[in-house]
């Protein structure tokens, strides 16, 4: 297993739309394993392949407090969404910032696991929010896109300044 580098906003690679996964092989299973290790180490509750510069439709998540409910979604689709939830969201690609985002509270999802087994399930609350947040990454979208231009630009400026200080 290996820790992967997480891209930070405003890196343009975060805007790449991910491609469908066609091969469920050992390299995919290794990437899933590395993504879980990276997500837990960060620490976070979800990680999309786009965030680690792999542009395939893959996400890992674990919303449990004890980190014992890992879930891998490959080629996820939201089949149904309803309800309304406004929740503070953060993002491993936008470190240190949390803002309220409105999303569906209940979703029905179809996805494969890392072995290619297709399933459908329902999610609500934090699990539903996490899936929607990570699926946005697969479409080249970040939670800051839900914010006003003023807030988004302020966050961009602060992150760029932090990167310069870290590099310099």
């Amino acid at each position: 297993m290996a820790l992967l580098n997480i891209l930070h906003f405003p890196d343009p690679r975060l805007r790449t739309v991910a491609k469908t996964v066609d091969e469920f092989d050992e390299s995919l299973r290794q990437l899933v394993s590395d993504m879980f290790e990276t997500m837990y180490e960060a620490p976070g509750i979800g990680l999309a392949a786009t965030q680690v510069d792999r542009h395939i439709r893959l996400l890992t998540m674990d919303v449990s407090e004890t980190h014992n409910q890992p879930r891998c979604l490959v080629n996820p689709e939201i089949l149904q969404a309803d309800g309304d939830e406004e929740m503070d969201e953060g993002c491993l690609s936008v470190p240190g910032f949390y803002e309220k985002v409105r999303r569906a509270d209940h979703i029905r999802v179809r996805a494969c696991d890392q072995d290619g087994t297709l399933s459908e399930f329902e999610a609500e609350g934090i699990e539903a929010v996490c899936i929607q947040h990570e699926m946005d990454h697969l479409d080249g979208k970040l939670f800051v896109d839900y914010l006003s231009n003023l807030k988004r630009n302020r966050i961009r400026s602060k992150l760029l300044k932090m990167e310069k200080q870290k590099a310099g």
Side-chain angles (χ1 to χ4, degrees), residues 2-3 6 11 23 60-61 68 97-98 100 113 117 144 155 160 163:
L3 288 176
I6 298 173
D11 191 308
E23 289 190 41
T60 56
M61 59 182 285
N68 64 350
F97 293 90
Y98 299 87
K100 291 204 179 303
D113 65 14
T117 304
V144 295
I155 290 170
L160 288 171
E163 286 294 319

Side-chain angles (χ1 to χ4, degrees), residues 36-145:
F36 273 118
E37 183 179 2
T38 302
M39 179 187 81
Y40 288 133
E41 180 71 23
I45 62 169
L47 185 65
T50 302
Q51 292 176 273
V52 293
D53 204 19
R54 309 297 199 286
H55 303 286
I56 59 172
R57 298 196 72 77
L58 162 66
L59 65 90
T60 56
M61 59 182 285
D62 186 343
V63 297
S64 70
E65 292 195 16
T66 53
H67 301 277
N68 64 350
Q69 297 173 13
R71 179 171 246 169
C72 165
L73 303 181
V74 182
N75 300 329
E77 302 172 72
I78 295 177
L79 304 174
Q80 179 185 345
D82 52 57
D84 198 28
E85 174 99 26
E86 187 174 72
M87 196 177 283
D88 270 344
E89 288 189 27
C91 180
L92 297 176
S93 291
V94 189
F97 293 90
Y98 299 87
E99 294 288 340
K100 291 204 179 303
V101 176
R102 186 170 297 284
R103 297 192 187 269
D105 179 52
H106 176 266
I107 58 175
R108 181 153 189 79
V109 179
R110 177 187 302 140
C112 293
D113 65 14
Q114 65 265 27
D115 297 315
T117 304
L118 185 65
S119 65
E120 287 186 20
F121 63 94
E122 298 196 21
E124 58 186 29
I126 186 76
E127 183 181 28
V129 167
C130 183
I131 291 168
Q132 291 168 85
H133 176 108
E134 300 309 331
M135 284 183 67
D136 274 354
H137 280 297
L138 303 180
D139 294 327
K141 189 172 185 177
L142 291 108
F143 89 96
V144 295
D145 297 338

Side-chain angles (χ1 to χ4, degrees), residues 4-11 42 91-97 157-168:
L4 304 170
N5 182 47
I6 298 173
L7 302 176
H8 292 147
F9 175 72
D11 191 308
C91 180
L92 297 176
S93 291
V94 189
F97 293 90
S157 295
K158 286 180 181 178
L159 286 173
L160 288 171
K161 184 178 179 181
M162 287 167 44
E163 286 294 319
K164 278 184 190 173
Q165 289 173 342
K166 200 183 332 176

